[in-house]
Amino acid sequence: MGKIYIPTTGPQCWQALLADPSKQWRTGYSARTLANCWEAADGLPSEVAALFGSDAELLIAIPEHKVSLRDAGRESQTDLFALIKANHRTIAVAVEGKVNETFGPLIKNWYSEPSPGKQQRLKFLCDRIGIECPPPDALHYQLFHRTASAILEAERFKTDDAAMIVHSFSPEDKWFDAYAAFLHLLGLAAERERLVSKKLHNGRILHFGWAKGDARFLNA
């Protein structure tokens, strides 16, 4: 993974960073919708800024940011990684863009007859998030590694807080129930357009938020 980044000149620059550029870059799908929204904002989209407060400021954003999970498996490829400053604190933020796409496989499918590598990975993710392993079967694996990515990057960049934000452009808030079930495991009650938070064992605050994106970007 390279460590030198070049500023984008528009949404089209995001396409080449996708795992499957031809398949994933489609009108009405999350990758293209998220890119158009964030590029148009030239900073934080208003719905994301509203989660963090009136003084929230985007310091840097990196599309399709890969985060090592400290094993031999695939990295977690975050739709957008951002460093945000708000309330005199810096926050490492993993942004997951969503329209109608699911949060990927359930734990019961991903962890069926797990290899030693999967056992090691899931234990690592659960330890980072602060929950028992293995977690409930009906939760989505993606939410675990995306949340852990935010925590790992908060440690790496020595930010005050970490956050995992779902930036949803679904008019029906599709998959909010899956997000809420994951937060319930952490002892949190999910709310739309509002941060909920918990303290990690390392003292950092971990935030979660569901931001409702502007539907006009579905046609961009």
Side-chain angles (χ1 to χ4, degrees), residues 12-167:
Q12 68 280 356
C13 293
W14 297 41
Q15 182 178 6
L17 303 173
L18 295 168
D20 189 339
S22 59
K23 181 179 179 180
Q24 293 174 279
W25 192 256
R26 298 167 64 185
T27 300
Y29 284 68
S30 61
R32 183 166 177 156
T33 303
L34 189 74
N36 278 283
C37 175
W38 279 74
E39 288 284 349
D42 192 27
L44 287 174
S46 59
E47 61 272 18
V48 176
L51 292 173
F52 293 96
S54 59
D55 67 340
E57 176 189 356
L58 177 64
L59 303 179
I60 191 171
I62 306 173
E64 301 299 329
H65 182 62
K66 295 180 180 180
V67 179
S68 170
L69 299 180
R70 302 182 185 177
D71 59 21
R74 289 179 58 186
E75 298 154 315
S76 178
Q77 187 159 334
T78 303
D79 292 341
L80 182 71
F81 172 71
L83 291 177
I84 292 174
K85 183 169 68 174
N87 300 316
H88 306 291
R89 299 176 72 81
T90 54
I91 309 161
V93 184
V95 179
E96 180 67 23
K98 279 287 173 275
V99 180
N100 293 317
E101 305 94 332
T102 74
F103 285 108
L106 298 175
I107 291 292
K108 69 178 179 182
N109 302 126
W110 183 82
Y111 202 62
S112 176
E113 300 182 1
S115 64
K118 284 192 173 184
Q119 293 178 45
Q120 176 189 341
R121 169 167 286 201
L122 191 59
K123 178 67 164 55
F124 174 77
L125 298 179
C126 290
D127 286 349
R128 272 289 179 275
I129 298 169
I131 57 174
E132 293 186 4
C133 186
D137 284 347
L139 299 180
H140 289 261
Y141 168 64
Q142 185 184 80
L143 291 167
F144 288 84
H145 67 83
R146 196 69 76 238
T147 299
S149 294
I151 297 169
L152 290 168
E153 294 301 77
E155 294 171 356
R156 191 161 72 99
F157 286 98
K158 296 186 177 180
T159 63
D160 299 299
D161 302 344
M164 197 283 285
I165 303 300
V166 178
H167 197 173

Side-chain angles (χ1 to χ4, degrees), residues 157-207:
F157 286 98
K158 296 186 177 180
T159 63
D160 299 299
D161 302 344
M164 197 283 285
I165 303 300
V166 178
H167 197 173
S168 172
F169 296 85
S170 167
E172 302 85 15
D173 286 329
K174 199 165 185 180
W175 304 109
F176 179 80
D177 56 341
Y179 165 79
F182 175 68
L183 265 62
H184 180 73
L185 177 67
L186 306 179
L188 299 172
E191 296 187 40
R192 295 169 177 82
E193 302 177 273
R194 183 174 176 272
L195 285 186
V196 294
S197 311
K198 66 169 289 184
K199 193 170 186 177
L200 297 169
H201 62 82
N202 61 11
R204 281 189 175 85
I205 303 299
L206 173 61
H207 306 287

